[in-house]
Amino acid sequence: MGSAADAAGAFRHDAFLYAGEKQFLAGTTAFVRGGLDAGEAVLVAVVEPRASLLAAALGADADRVEFLDMARIGRNPARMLPAWQDWVDRQTSAGAGGAAGAAGGPRGLRGVGEPIWAHRSPAEIVECQQHEQLLNTAFDDGPAWWLLCPYDTEALPAPVIDRARDTHPGYVAGDGDAWEPSTTYPDTGFSFGEMFGGPLDEPAVPVCEVSYDVQGLRELRGRVSDFAESVLGRNGAGNAALVVDELATNSVLHGGGAGLLRMWQEGQTVVFEARDHGTIVDPLVGRRRPVGSATGRAGLWIVNQLCDLLQIRSDPDRGTVVRAHLAGG
């Protein structure tokens, strides 16, 4: 597959469509070893058992690879992009992307990142697909590096595989030997307006609604904590109160001064939804680590660190809906 430095200053983002364990190992070991042979920094973020299988297949070379548990960092899909950003920034600061590689040229970066696996919920899959598209937005103007995203064609539904082609400029299939450009990228369904403008499915269970403004934030935190404690426990209820406080404060500051909170329970998950009349214009909202003066507008970043799934929809005509899912233990 060549060297990440071959991208000549660009971010390269490919899907890897594999069928079963044998093809996964054939494609990913070749990709990782290609990076190591070129003197590149390599990060692998996949779920078990594939992480352990890949490490075993690499043998001693696995010690030269950084591994992250995607089931942990990607539990909330919105936390995957900042994990990659942190790694790229760390490697760039350490000299990767500009230091000499094995052939004397620029040292590159490459990663293997598996955003969607079997048993992801439909809502999580949609957010993962948004993540895949937003990777291109986030990294197209940054340092050159190469990200390969595995998709198991035996375990995932056909529409998910189709969407992988829609969100990646190119893909490889089978054992990973033949690269093809995607004929459906970029898909208009993943434009910023389409991703954030569509409605969310209505809950199928009873919903509690509470209107709020700046005077009612303290009372709102108490009601949220009481609602969540039976499912999340005392500590989880505290996190829920913090999540809702950040969402409601955003409404007060940026959404017209007031909003509507809806809350309900889905099994062992508690869902809080804030609605207001504001409009979000940043497609990477909540996915960029706040630095410097931006820490004063870190509400959605904080929410993403606390919840298991965050769904954001915003449209100039309908306003903004932010839905946070917190799962009990």
Side-chain angles (χ1 to χ4, degrees):
M1 291 188 184
S3 167
D6 294 341
F11 170 56
R12 179 169 173 178
H13 185 205
D14 293 333
F16 171 35
L17 312 180
Y18 72 92
E21 176 184 309
K22 182 178 179 180
Q23 286 190 357
F24 171 81
L25 290 175
T28 55
T29 53
F31 181 76
V32 170
R33 283 209 169 100
L36 296 176
D37 290 346
E40 297 171 359
V42 180
L43 172 64
V44 172
V46 299
V47 299
E48 292 292 355
R50 287 183 280 283
S52 295
L53 291 171
L54 178 55
L58 291 170
D61 285 337
D63 293 337
R64 301 162 59 197
V65 176
E66 184 175 348
F67 283 85
L68 290 179
D69 179 7
M70 184 59 94
R72 180 181 62 81
I73 66 166
R75 177 68 185 91
N76 175 0
R79 291 202 293 263
M80 293 188 288
L81 191 152
W84 286 113
Q85 185 71 69
D86 287 349
W87 179 73
V88 170
D89 290 346
R90 189 169 67 251
Q91 296 301 323
T92 302
S93 297
R107 185 185 185 209
L109 315 173
R110 71 172 67 189
V112 179
E114 179 184 28
I116 301 177
W117 54 86
H119 311 306
R120 280 282 208 189
S121 72
E124 289 171 356
I125 288 173
V126 170
E127 299 309 309
C128 287
Q129 290 165 337
Q130 292 196 8
H131 156 80
E132 288 279 52
Q133 181 60 37
L134 289 172
L135 281 167
N136 305 307
T137 300
F139 291 110
D140 274 350
D141 294 328
W145 68 288
W146 192 355
L147 178 60
L148 187 72
C149 302
Y151 283 78
D152 187 348
T153 60
E154 290 185 342
L156 297 174
V160 173
I161 304 302
D162 292 338
R163 282 301 195 186
R165 294 185 179 92
D166 296 340
T167 54
H168 294 78
Y171 64 94
V172 291
D175 293 336
D177 292 331
W179 179 89
E180 296 183 45
S182 172
T183 59
T184 59
Y185 174 87
D187 187 280
T188 56
F190 287 99
S191 67
F192 175 63
E194 290 296 323
M195 283 193 300
F196 283 78
L200 293 169
D201 292 338
E202 280 296 301
V205 295
V207 172
C208 176
E209 295 189 352
V210 184
S211 298
Y212 58 85
D213 56 20
V214 65
Q215 286 79 27
L217 293 182
R218 177 174 294 184
E219 179 183 354
L220 185 69
R221 290 193 293 268
R223 294 190 64 170
V224 165
S225 182
D226 291 343
F227 185 86
E229 187 167 356
S230 63
V231 177
L232 305 180
R234 180 171 296 179
N235 289 339
N239 286 340
L242 178 56
V243 163
V244 171
D245 188 57
E246 293 291 347
L247 297 181
T249 299
N250 271 357
S251 293
V252 169
L253 295 177
H254 311 295
L260 175 70
L261 179 73
R262 304 202 303 169
M263 47 190 177
W264 64 92
Q265 182 178 341
E266 297 177 355
Q268 291 302 302
T269 296
V270 181
V271 185
F272 300 96
E273 178 189 273
R275 293 173 171 256
D276 60 48
H277 297 295
T279 303
I280 293 175
V281 297
D282 178 8
L284 297 173
V285 63
R287 299 173 192 252
R288 294 283 203 191
R289 185 183 298 277
V291 294
S293 61
T295 55
R297 299 189 64 176
L300 290 176
W301 170 268
I302 294 170
V303 170
N304 265 323
Q305 308 316 302
L306 294 173
C307 69
D308 297 284
L309 176 66
L310 189 69
Q311 300 166 283
I312 301 174
R313 302 294 184 268
S314 189
D315 176 84
D317 296 324
R318 295 190 296 271
T320 293
V321 176
V322 183
R323 189 177 289 181
H325 303 241
L326 290 90

